[in-house]
Amino acid sequence: MRFTTALLLLAGISLSTTAVIAYSNPKNGETRVDRRAFLSRATAMTTAAALPLRAGADDVSDFVTTESGLKYLVVKEGTGAIPSGGQTVKTDYTGWLDDFNSEKKFDSSRDRGRPFTFKVGTGQVIRGWDESFSTMKIGERRKIIVPPNLGYGDRGAGGIIPGGATLYFDVELLGIL
């Protein structure tokens, strides 16, 4: 995905550069386009080239939306048991602000190489996690989108997650302990 992003950004810069060269070096007999029209066209070309950068990030049409507003997409089906309330689960996760492809990763058990454990349904984690993990099977991996009311609300967390933030997680249920 990052390669695609870089390639599309490069294409946008290339189109803009071509437009600048065309504006500053008109060919024989051609008249220059007025500055306002040139800037308008250059901006439109750059914007059009950049649009695909976010198109996939905001596409949640394949996600399931629960009554609470939690959105999830099963990326890998699980085959094991579903945890009951109060059971301790072992998980791996990565969390981002903005979207799943964001540079704003705020935490990851995968990066630390240390799975995270908690008791499902007891309020040890944000409500969106309790809800998601209470319906997952061992081995299942999901992308979840946690709205602010199921995350950290208006208060945010630790100076890293701003108030009112929607959170994006890639989570996996590794086991029930």
Side-chain angles (χ1 to χ4, degrees), residues 118-130:
F118 70 97
K119 289 184 181 184
V120 173
T122 62
Q124 291 183 343
V125 293
I126 59 175
R127 288 180 25 207
W129 270 42
D130 268 340

Side-chain angles (χ1 to χ4, degrees), residues 87-132:
Q87 286 187 300
T88 300
V89 294
K90 181 171 144 181
T91 69
D92 256 337
Y93 70 91
T94 302
W96 298 270
L97 299 172
D98 298 335
D99 64 54
F100 295 104
N101 300 313
S102 173
E103 295 292 321
K104 296 180 182 178
K105 183 191 306 183
F106 60 84
D107 196 11
S108 177
S109 67
R110 291 182 182 98
D111 289 352
R112 286 190 301 276
R114 231 178 49 223
F116 177 70
T117 60
F118 70 97
K119 289 184 181 184
V120 173
T122 62
Q124 291 183 343
V125 293
I126 59 175
R127 288 180 25 207
W129 270 42
D130 268 340
E131 181 179 339
S132 188

Side-chain angles (χ1 to χ4, degrees), residues 130-146:
D130 268 340
E131 181 179 339
S132 188
F133 280 100
S134 69
T135 60
M136 290 175 70
K137 294 179 180 178
I138 294 174
E140 186 172 319
R141 188 168 180 170
R142 290 181 180 181
K143 287 185 172 184
I144 61 173
I145 302 173
V146 180

Side-chain angles (χ1 to χ4, degrees), residues 7-18:
L7 188 59
L8 291 170
L9 186 57
L10 186 59
I13 292 169
S14 176
L15 284 171
S16 297
T17 304
T18 302

